[in-house]
Amino acid sequence: MSSLPIRNRKHVLEEESRKFVGNIIPSEWIIRGESPSDYGIDMQIELVLNERVTGASWSIQLKATDKLERKKDVVTYSFKTSTLAYFLARPERIIYIMYDAVDKVAYWIWIQEYIRNDLEKTWLKQKTATVKIPKTNIFNNDAIPIIQNRVLHDNEAHRWLSAVQTANHPYFSYQFQSKDNGFEIGVSPRYPGADQDSPVSINGTFRFDASEHGRANLQKFKDMIRTGIPAEFDSSVFEGFNVHDIFYPIMPELESFQTSKILISSIPGQNPQTIKVSFFDKHGTLVQRFPFIELVDVQSGTEEVTFTNKAQKLSITTTMTVSKVSNTINISFGFDHGPGTPIQTIYETITAMMDMNDANSIEIINLQTDTVLIRDDFKDYVTEIPSQFVQLIEALMIIQERCNIELIWPDSLEPEDAERILFVATILFLGKVRVHNPITVPLLYEGAEKLLRVYQAKNSLHLRGTSAAKAIDILGFSIELGDYVLYAPEVTMSVDDLQSIDTFIKRGKLQDVLLVTFHTGEVGAELIFPQWIPVMEDEESGDNDKD
């Protein structure tokens, strides 16, 4: 009998796991086995729906074991990283299935998604990496609809992408983007003027009935025509608007396509308007002037046209709406300070807007025609700037001037960053700052013994000491504050602090250091930075006289 072939346990497990998976996959789906040379792909599945072969397919990497490794809420398997890299190189979706031959249950996971989102970023530098599958991911009949929907979505995306990449329309080019809830396909002229060389008509009819929904959409349509504000309409208020002629090259079957939504927006005219804006106080004195603001048409309707200067590199944004009906002009000013804006520019803008808020009248002149567009009382034209922001910018200007650096507005600023800026600016401006936080001081044996004796006699004490401040980061710059003197007129200690000092003294180790915490109470403590204490002008002149 020893000369007969042997069927080892590995082969038994492989066949058992294939039968298990095959019993769960719908019988109408097509299952293709992969050869061993396919490096980790055991099965390929193609979806068949309503007796139609869809072309949508996915692959399976299948592992079977008698000794499944479990850790808390997951089952695990260690892969060679070369195999994981191969999974990422495959274009189709791959499901990794781990079959437990003991409990007759299988667990599954979208392996490429797991590699990209859940593995440590350093996995490629390793020889192996562990994949963890939640125990809730059981491969059974409930998993089939989930897999089917994902595979169909991916197949549809690949179909559209292939169509967009291979279409060669002489006048139009196409763009494709996959989204969670569908796909977005754009069309644009292949070259300037292509839309005029090959004009396309899209015809349809709007129908607004007397219902509340119909009246609301009619008003939205009128507002869109009047002001140019973009408006979206669903198929309940229109019919037609077929786009078959435009998209025929990428999807011929679009003849049956039904438009479900339409977004209508105005095409900006980009007609530049240059103006000069001046602000005057109640006495007619000029308080602020912007000699050149370039406005462009960003929204145009039959009754209104809106211009802005957002294309112009100014921190002050100007919006002007011209009414074609009443022949009036409304103008407003806002504040734009994106990341990378110099603090100096922001400060100058804030100062200008404060001057504008104090103004009593405004004059706007069209520089192209040299005519007055507005000459009127000035009120409610300027966006109010929060006082906290003004205070923060003023603090940054103090830091910039005292340290001779150029600060830039960051991508983001956390509350603790703002607190640190105000703290440093106060020191640089006054040379001192008051704090109410607990103070921690290192003490040797002798100091601790004396401290305990004095404190027990008075139940409080005043604190004075000298130390060196650590450098503080302000918007990427390291600010050195130098030595400081700490003065706290009245500090107290908790019972626990006193007990810690007593225990420290009883140990009797002279070289040990104890960190003692003092509470400053309502009075607080003052940190004095001699390097930054302002020098009075008369003191400077007095010193010069002595010389």
Side-chain angles (χ1 to χ4, degrees):
M1 296 294 291
S2 61
S3 61
L4 295 177
I6 295 174
R7 190 176 190 219
N8 60 35
R9 180 60 178 162
K10 179 181 178 182
H11 293 162
V12 174
L13 289 173
E14 287 177 355
E15 184 173 335
E16 183 179 330
S17 62
R18 283 177 177 270
K19 287 181 179 178
F20 180 90
V21 171
N23 287 334
I24 292 174
I25 291 176
S27 58
E28 64 267 27
W29 291 7
I30 301 171
I31 302 178
R32 300 184 180 93
E34 292 278 337
S35 65
S37 62
D38 280 308
Y39 305 104
I41 300 301
D42 295 304
M43 305 167 72
Q44 275 198 326
I45 317 296
E46 184 171 352
L47 303 187
V48 178
L49 301 177
N50 300 322
E51 299 183 351
R52 292 185 178 275
V53 180
T54 64
S57 62
W58 50 285
S59 296
I60 293 177
Q61 160 69 21
L62 183 58
K63 292 293 180 183
T65 182
D66 290 315
K67 300 177 181 179
L68 185 64
E69 293 187 21
R70 292 179 171 87
K71 294 182 180 179
K72 294 183 179 180
D73 298 327
V74 299
V75 297
T76 65
Y77 182 77
S78 181
F79 274 96
K80 291 181 180 179
T81 51
S82 58
T83 302
L84 297 178
Y86 175 69
F87 289 154
L88 293 182
R90 302 275 300 206
E92 81 279 15
R93 283 245 181 213
I94 301 174
I95 288 178
Y96 169 60
I97 298 178
M98 172 63 75
Y99 175 68
D100 181 359
V102 176
D103 293 336
K104 310 302 181 186
V105 64
Y107 305 92
W108 70 284
I109 197 169
W110 297 107
I111 189 64
Q112 294 131 311
E113 192 171 287
Y114 180 87
I115 295 169
R116 292 188 175 100
N117 300 326
D118 296 295
L119 278 185
E120 295 289 336
K121 294 181 179 179
T122 57
W123 69 270
L124 271 173
K125 299 179 181 179
Q126 305 164 189
K127 292 184 178 180
T128 62
T130 300
V131 171
K132 302 174 183 178
I133 305 177
K135 291 180 181 177
T136 53
N137 283 23
I138 299 175
F139 186 75
N140 54 21
N141 291 331
D142 293 337
I144 294 302
I146 299 173
I147 295 170
Q148 174 180 300
N149 292 337
R150 179 69 71 88
V151 172
L152 286 174
H153 178 277
D154 285 359
N155 181 70
E156 192 72 4
H158 290 147
R159 196 161 67 105
W160 280 98
L161 179 60
S162 175
V164 165
Q165 290 175 332
T166 55
N168 186 22
H169 195 287
Y171 299 105
F172 300 106
S173 60
Y174 304 96
Q175 303 84 40
F176 171 83
Q177 183 176 2
S178 178
K179 296 189 174 183
D180 291 338
N181 58 347
F183 316 104
E184 185 176 286
I185 298 177
V187 59
S188 58
R190 184 173 289 277
Y191 57 87
D195 53 334
Q196 298 180 11
D197 293 342
S198 179
V200 176
S201 297
I202 302 175
N203 300 309
T205 304
F206 282 97
R207 301 188 186 279
F208 304 109
D209 58 27
S211 67
E212 183 178 349
H213 176 72
R215 292 197 303 272
N217 276 274
L218 176 59
Q219 186 60 49
K220 184 165 61 172
F221 186 86
K222 290 180 177 179
D223 291 341
M224 180 268 298
I225 296 296
R226 179 176 60 83
T227 66
I229 297 175
E232 184 178 274
F233 303 92
D234 61 38
S235 57
S236 66
V237 296
F238 69 79
E239 57 185 35
F241 297 108
N242 203 324
V243 295
H244 175 256
D245 290 344
I246 298 178
F247 287 101
Y248 176 82
I250 63 171
M251 202 61 69
E253 62 266 35
L254 270 180
E255 191 163 6
S256 59
F257 174 85
Q258 296 296 319
T259 304
S260 62
K261 285 184 180 179
I262 293 178
L263 175 66
I264 304 177
S265 60
S266 62
I267 300 176
Q270 297 295 313
N271 301 314
Q273 302 288 327
T274 54
I275 61 174
K276 177 175 69 174
V277 183
S278 304
F279 301 88
F280 304 90
D281 63 15
K282 61 182 180 181
H283 303 295
T285 304
L286 179 70
V287 295
Q288 187 59 248
R289 170 172 285 164
F290 298 100
F292 183 85
I293 295 179
E294 184 178 66
L295 302 171
V296 293
D297 171 2
V298 296
Q299 194 169 279
S300 181
T302 58
E303 296 183 13
E304 290 181 3
V305 181
T306 299
F307 299 86
T308 75
N309 72 325
K310 288 187 177 180
Q312 190 180 18
K313 292 185 177 180
L314 284 181
S315 293
I316 291 182
T317 58
T318 306
T319 302
M320 184 171 71
T321 300
V322 179
S323 172
K324 301 177 183 178
V325 177
S326 60
N327 200 30
T328 58
I329 297 175
N330 290 320
I331 193 164
S332 63
F333 300 92
F335 178 45
D336 183 18
H337 63 289
T341 305
I343 297 300
Q344 181 72 36
T345 300
I346 297 176
Y347 176 75
E348 291 172 355
T349 303
I350 290 175
T351 302
M353 295 188 75
M354 287 180 171
D355 291 340
M356 292 159 62
N357 274 321
D358 292 336
N360 287 81
S361 60
I362 182 174
E363 180 185 73
I364 299 178
I365 295 176
N366 186 326
L367 294 177
Q368 293 163 305
T369 61
D370 198 29
T371 57
V372 176
L373 298 177
I374 293 178
R375 183 177 288 150
D376 199 358
D377 292 342
F378 182 74
K379 57 182 179 179
D380 300 330
Y381 286 138
V382 182
T383 301
E384 186 175 351
I385 303 174
S387 59
Q388 297 93 330
F389 182 75
V390 175
Q391 184 183 20
L392 185 64
I393 295 301
E394 289 175 342
L396 286 169
M397 282 299 296
I398 291 172
I399 296 172
Q400 179 169 282
E401 292 172 357
R402 294 288 196 276
C403 299
N404 195 26
I405 55 178
E406 293 185 8
L407 297 172
I408 302 296
W409 188 254
D411 293 334
S412 62
L413 195 71
E414 300 298 329
E416 54 268 26
D417 298 327
E419 291 177 5
R420 189 165 59 250
I421 290 169
L422 295 174
F423 177 80
V424 171
T426 301
I427 293 171
L428 299 185
F429 187 70
L430 299 175
K432 58 185 178 180
V433 65
R434 185 167 294 278
V435 297
H436 294 273
N437 305 326
I439 299 169
T440 302
V441 177
L443 289 179
L444 292 172
Y445 179 85
E446 284 187 14
E449 190 177 37
K450 182 179 180 181
L451 171 67
L452 185 61
R453 186 171 62 252
V454 173
Y455 190 84
Q456 287 175 336
K458 298 183 177 181
N459 289 324
S460 69
L461 47 82
H462 70 270
L463 197 64
R464 187 181 184 90
T466 303
S467 185
K470 295 180 180 179
I472 298 179
D473 179 81
I474 300 293
L475 303 188
F477 286 89
S478 182
I479 308 299
E480 298 284 351
L481 297 175
D483 295 341
Y484 68 89
V485 176
L486 181 148
Y487 176 68
E490 184 176 351
V491 296
T492 59
M493 291 183 289
S494 68
V495 174
D496 290 340
D497 294 330
L498 293 171
Q499 184 61 45
S500 298
I501 297 174
D502 186 58
T503 302
F504 174 74
I505 294 171
K506 289 177 179 178
R507 286 170 53 193
K509 294 185 178 181
L510 301 181
Q511 301 306 315
D512 283 0
V513 176
L514 175 67
L515 294 178
V516 180
T517 300
F518 298 97
H519 303 275
T520 59
E522 294 183 2
V523 178
E526 194 170 50
L527 305 181
I528 303 171
F529 293 78
Q531 176 183 345
W532 300 104
I533 293 178
V535 178
M536 305 301 292
E537 291 185 6
D538 56 346
E539 292 180 10
E540 290 182 344
S541 61
D543 291 340
N544 292 335
D545 291 341
K546 291 179 182 178
D547 291 339

